[in-house]
Amino acid sequence: MTVLIIAEHNNSELKRATLHSVTAARALAEEIHLLIAGHNAQEVVQSASIVSGVTKVLVADDIIYEHPLAENMTPLILSICENYKYVMATATTEGKNLMPRVAALLDVAQISDISGILDKETFQRPTYAGNVISTVKSIDSIKVITVRATAFDAAANNGGNAIIENISTTPDSGKSKFLRLDVSASERPELTSATTIVSGGRGMQSGENFVLIEAVADRLGAAIGASRAAVDAGFVPNDYQVGQTGKVVAPTLYLAIGISGAIQHLAGMKDSKVIAAINKDEEAPIFQIADYGLVADLFKALPEIAEELDKQGLSKT
Amino acid sequence: MKLLVAIKRTIDYNVKVRVNADNTDVELTNVKMAMNPFCEIAVEEAVRIKESGVADEIVVVSAGPKQTQETLRTALAMGADRGIHIETEMELQPLGVAKILKAVSESEEPGLVILGKQAIDDDSNQTGQMLAALLDWPQATFASNIVLSDQGAEVTREVDGGLETISINLPAVVTTDLRLNEPRYASLPNIMKAKKKPIEVKSPEDLDVDIKPRLIVLKVEEPAKRESGVMVESVAELISKLQNEAKVI
């Protein structure tokens, strides 16, 4: 049995998200193939070939794959997937966009966002904003799966020695065209891969007050996140949002500042290794899941944290 | 242009969901139901497109038991023109729903189908993409902005790390993300008017589609609870714990 993983990359770098799917795939099969559909993506192919556990890297090089439009990616995947029992991608926006299109044309169900593998056809996945874990069995012959990255460790990005094979490309669908990508410019680590995250909620009261969060995040080398309440209030852009309707994160340290702990927020961060929370309301639900809680006024506490980190020599700046 | 909006009736997003006693489903008895929030955004967007003069009719469709008509009435009160109810008591999964919507799209021939990106019950995030695949139409998922013209649509999508803009040919399928718009509340006169708008009722058999579930739900359970930790008295104590006990800074 073989797993085909659709790799995510930007033609120069293999995205770390894909490494989590490799680990999930190892629970299902010995043979793991990685599809790199892109354009001039030699560096990605090289780094994919040494990922631990990957046995073959399939390369489809064409200008039409420079941006992974679902309309062009789907025929390519369909052209090779009869050889596979499992077709898998990480449940990023890219994987979520692409995989149901593949599943529908194979006439199979997709198993979305799996967080556990019980056996070769039985999987666990969170539903109801993470309030429920469903155990589902797939009766389809090919299983199309998206993987919740935070539920599986990243495979080592060295030590592997995969065969590299070029495959035939498929024609441009002509149905859709990439126009532009506006990347959120930030010197900070990306939310989904950061080891430390400092997140602000409605308690921050304004977007300007996020400078207090920035001061702490800078010292910790952390990414900045926010609750949906803070996004809805317009304090910060939507791509800061952590939660069921935003990003799902699992950093080593999650610092929740002025976040009450709505269910939908907890669904996005409760797998963090250590959670510390600061809130002036001692009844805030966030304290029920936090490893360390401090009842305090965040406008006093945040500058104190920055000062204390400097004093203890813990600041990274 | 005609717009088709597909909506789903789900547990109201304010309800705290509980697993039932025999771990087969969540508790649905006497639980408040409502339109899935992402579907409300889809209806709102259709109404705004019609108000801008680009579209002339909005058809709203939903599949499910009899009570699904209440959700269709909500959409009609928001501004949709007529409803289609595919009535079934069977458990519906995304692939089956996509097949239903394909049949409806083929008879209605809309220029654009708008759906929510995911439903807040099963969190699958599949139906729109599957529908686009079955129709062999382009898709623009997780939309935060839609600009329609005769030739096609330019859609801005919420992707990890930023905003991607693509152009797609029409007809097409678009799924909505949170920031696309803020749905309106239906006014009382519009709620009254909606009662007179037509809802056509059909069965999956009428459409000749196979909606049999492909995933068997073996068990539902509550996730493992995270143990609550300790309260600290000061910032200095917090930093010390994070440094020396948790060893994370």
Side-chain angles (χ1 to χ4, degrees), chain A residues 71 97 107 182 270 292-293, chain B residues 139 141 163 214 226 232 245:
Chain A
E71 294 78 5
N97 179 55
D107 195 28
D182 301 307
K270 67 182 168 49
Y292 301 104
Chain B
Q139 66 187 47
T141 52
L163 294 171
R214 304 293 190 81
R226 205 186 159 99
V232 296
E245 193 175 277

Side-chain angles (χ1 to χ4, degrees), chain A residues 239-256:
Chain A
D239 54 346
Y240 281 43
Q241 192 195 141
V242 172
Q244 186 72 3
T245 51
K247 295 193 169 79
V248 178
V249 300
T252 309
L253 171 62
Y254 190 90
L255 206 48

Side-chain angles (χ1 to χ4, degrees), chain A residues 189-273:
Chain A
E190 211 202 334
L191 257 181
T192 48
S193 55
T195 54
T196 305
I197 295 174
V198 187
S199 259
R202 200 199 302 272
M204 294 304 299
Q205 293 179 13
S206 76
E208 291 75 52
N209 289 336
F210 266 73
V211 295
L212 299 172
I213 296 238
E214 285 168 19
V216 172
D218 285 344
R219 286 169 170 79
L220 292 171
I224 294 180
S227 69
R228 181 168 162 186
V231 172
D232 281 350
F235 299 170
V236 287
N238 191 43
D239 54 346
Y240 281 43
Q241 192 195 141
V242 172
Q244 186 72 3
T245 51
K247 295 193 169 79
V248 178
V249 300
T252 309
L253 171 62
Y254 190 90
L255 206 48
I257 311 292
I259 291 177
S260 65
I263 295 162
Q264 93 91 22
H265 185 74
L266 303 185
M269 48 64 86
K270 67 182 168 49
D271 293 329
S272 305
K273 186 162 170 262

Side-chain angles (χ1 to χ4, degrees), chain A residues 93-239:
Chain A
T93 50
E94 190 176 320
K96 289 174 182 174
N97 179 55
L98 171 64
M99 299 301 270
R101 196 168 175 108
V102 174
L105 293 177
L106 291 169
D107 195 28
V108 301
Q110 172 179 297
I111 311 135
S112 288
D113 217 11
I114 63 164
S115 57
I117 298 173
L118 300 186
D119 63 38
K120 293 196 187 308
E121 51 192 21
T122 315
F123 307 91
Q124 287 181 314
R125 53 178 304 263
T127 54
Y128 290 94
N131 288 302
V132 174
I133 303 294
S134 297
T135 302
V136 295
K137 181 176 171 169
S138 160
I139 56 173
D140 290 313
S141 55
I142 298 183
K143 300 188 198 324
V144 175
I145 294 171
T146 63
V147 174
R148 176 166 283 219
T150 56
F152 299 89
D153 293 335
N157 56 4
N158 56 55
N161 185 19
I163 307 161
I164 298 170
E165 187 182 304
N166 288 303
I167 63 166
S168 307
T169 57
T170 44
D172 188 354
S173 80
K175 290 179 171 43
S176 59
K177 212 166 77 194
F178 170 88
L179 296 181
R180 63 183 173 274
L181 177 65
D182 301 307
V183 183
S184 339
S186 173
E187 299 286 303
R188 296 176 207 287
E190 211 202 334
L191 257 181
T192 48
S193 55
T195 54
T196 305
I197 295 174
V198 187
S199 259
R202 200 199 302 272
M204 294 304 299
Q205 293 179 13
S206 76
E208 291 75 52
N209 289 336
F210 266 73
V211 295
L212 299 172
I213 296 238
E214 285 168 19
V216 172
D218 285 344
R219 286 169 170 79
L220 292 171
I224 294 180
S227 69
R228 181 168 162 186
V231 172
D232 281 350
F235 299 170
V236 287
N238 191 43
D239 54 346

